[in-house]
Amino acid sequence: MKKLFVANWKSNKTVEQCLEWLAEFEKRSSFLDLLNKEVVVCPSFIALESCYRFICDKKLPISLGVQDVSSFAGGAYTGEVNVEQAKEFATYAIIGHSERRIHLGETDELISRKTALAKRQDLTVIFCVQDENTLIPGSVDIIAYEPIFAIGTGNPDTPENVARVLARLSARTSKKRFLYGGSVVATNVLSFLTIDQVSGLLVGGASLKVDSFTALLTA
Ligand code: PGA
């Protein structure tokens, strides 16, 4: 199975900056060996459609994901983006990121409602867990282990501990696809990718520039 490289752009980039990134990626894509890799880019909702059109137009080998979905199916929920709207452009949905738990007060219950709705729209759910004990709904497709201490700190978890946590998660859930996320950069990417259970990476900071992201793909 292809290794997944998921770029989580968080609340960064205007639409124009997203398109600049994609245009730069396009220039390099012919030099990248993507045979065994799948690239997923998760921009802000506001840039989703423009990115989608650009990717289709240029036939770029990139899938799109959303960073969140509404916990409501749709209707009178001001400001929310529902799963049906997400599905127009995205294949993947990141759900349960610790930044949403911490800064937006998302609870396990809310996150599991989001997961159920996303699955109803056939979105592939990348479910973020902060440790081996995080509650995980049965229907998730991919589990991303992202310890809070490692996110955006330059202080990644050790490959040994990642392997240990993923083994525990795998025993608990019988899931097969796991990502690691938290301060992944070109110099440590191989130490995570070579862990047996790791099917890919969820990348924040190092995904914002094409240079540092393609460095992960070519490491
Ligand atoms: P980071 O973020 O790569 O900047 O540590 C990872 C994430 O939050 O998904």
Side-chain angles (χ1 to χ4, degrees), residues 86-121:
K87 180 69 186 186
E88 279 191 280
F89 309 111
T91 312
Y92 292 84
I94 298 174
I95 294 181
H97 195 285
S98 60
E99 285 157 7
R100 299 200 59 85
R101 293 181 192 257
I102 294 166
H103 303 298
L104 295 140
E106 292 201 351
T107 60
D108 288 337
E109 199 259 320
L110 184 95
I111 289 165
S112 94
R113 288 213 313 267
K114 292 181 177 202
T115 304
L117 286 170
K119 284 318 300 168
R120 253 195 258 160
Q121 280 296 329

Side-chain angles (χ1 to χ4, degrees), residues 18 25 35 51 60 72 90-91 104 109 118 169 172 178 182 191 206 213 215:
C18 292
F25 185 90
L35 212 59
C51 289
L60 291 185
F72 300 102
T91 312
L104 295 140
E109 199 259 320
L169 287 167
R172 241 186 80 197
F178 295 95
S191 67
F213 190 66

Side-chain angles (χ1 to χ4, degrees), residues 8 10 97 99 146 150-152 182-184 202-205:
N8 176 11
K10 309 190 180 184
H97 195 285
E99 285 157 7
E146 294 212 314
I151 295 181
S183 297
V184 174
L202 182 50
V203 187

